[in-house]
Amino acid sequence: MAHTVAVFFDDEAERKVRALWRRLDQAGVPSLAKHPNGWWAPRVTFAAAKQIPRKTRDLLKDELRTLAIPNLWLSNLGTFPDTENVLMLGAVVDNELLAVHSAIHDVLAGRVQAPQAYFMPGSWTPHCTLTQGVDHHKLVEGFAALHPVDRIEARVEHVGIVDTQTAEVEIIK
């Protein structure tokens, strides 16, 4: 993956997610606060592809001007036990959120290189990653360290295209 479309949170929600990251670190579970690239910020990713060309970014920026992005309610502590073993805080899914997600993918359809199926409509689980790439035991320890979590209302501060190779973020809304 090289480019993602992600929403970033207001200061209060970001502070609360970073507090969860600190709790993980204190429990001996490496959080994304210490991500190897050092650039990780709390976010929810809406789309990912090998490349999102400039023309497509401009179209997406135009589309986002007309969309109201709803607040995200992050409340579901869960896992994606796959090759990356992700501990995440899932967002409550509603029609408004799915409409924004679909609108983003309508713009990207046929215009990006190698879109990741995991983020496509019908497959997407909106979430904020808390840790990833840990072994099964650390995943269980992380869950135990955070459960139960208080629900976080995250206002979307901005939408950006993240270059996962360089860590550059282009704000598009």
Side-chain angles (χ1 to χ4, degrees):
M1 157 172 55
H3 291 141
T4 65
V5 178
V7 297
F8 295 85
F9 311 145
D10 64 285
D11 291 341
E12 178 71 10
E14 182 170 330
R15 184 185 61 72
K16 288 178 179 180
V17 171
R18 289 186 182 280
L20 294 174
W21 286 352
R22 281 191 301 280
R23 284 174 54 191
L24 286 172
D25 289 333
Q26 290 165 356
V29 178
S31 74
L32 292 184
K34 297 178 182 179
H35 192 276
N37 291 338
W39 54 268
W40 199 270
R43 70 187 86 169
V44 170
T45 299
F46 278 57
K50 182 176 179 184
Q51 181 184 26
I52 301 175
R54 166 61 44 212
K55 187 175 182 177
T56 304
R57 293 177 192 208
D58 293 341
L59 290 171
L60 188 56
K61 190 182 290 189
D62 287 342
E63 178 69 18
L64 289 172
R65 282 190 191 116
T66 66
L67 294 176
I69 301 175
N71 292 353
L72 301 173
W73 292 93
L74 304 170
S75 63
N76 303 314
L77 184 62
T79 63
F80 294 120
D82 59 12
T83 56
E84 292 194 34
N85 278 346
V86 171
L87 181 64
M88 58 90 173
L89 196 55
V92 174
V93 178
D94 61 18
N95 289 335
E96 243 184 321
L97 182 62
L98 291 176
V100 170
H101 183 253
S102 290
I104 288 170
H105 280 272
D106 286 349
V107 172
L108 299 178
R111 294 185 176 103
V112 299
Q113 280 186 355
Q116 282 199 343
Y118 180 74
F119 295 97
M120 301 293 277
S123 299
W124 180 59
T125 300
H127 68 280
C128 177
T129 302
L130 301 173
T131 189
Q132 67 184 23
V134 297
D135 66 32
H136 174 75
H137 298 291
K138 288 291 182 189
L139 197 64
V140 172
E141 290 173 18
F143 192 94
L146 298 181
H147 188 269
V149 295
D150 292 329
R151 183 166 71 171
I152 298 172
E153 179 182 6
R155 290 188 326 270
V156 174
E157 191 71 23
H158 57 266
V159 180
I161 304 282
V162 179
D163 184 318
T164 62
Q165 305 299 315
T166 65
E168 292 178 28
V169 177
E170 175 187 349
I171 304 303
I172 60 174
K173 179 177 175 134

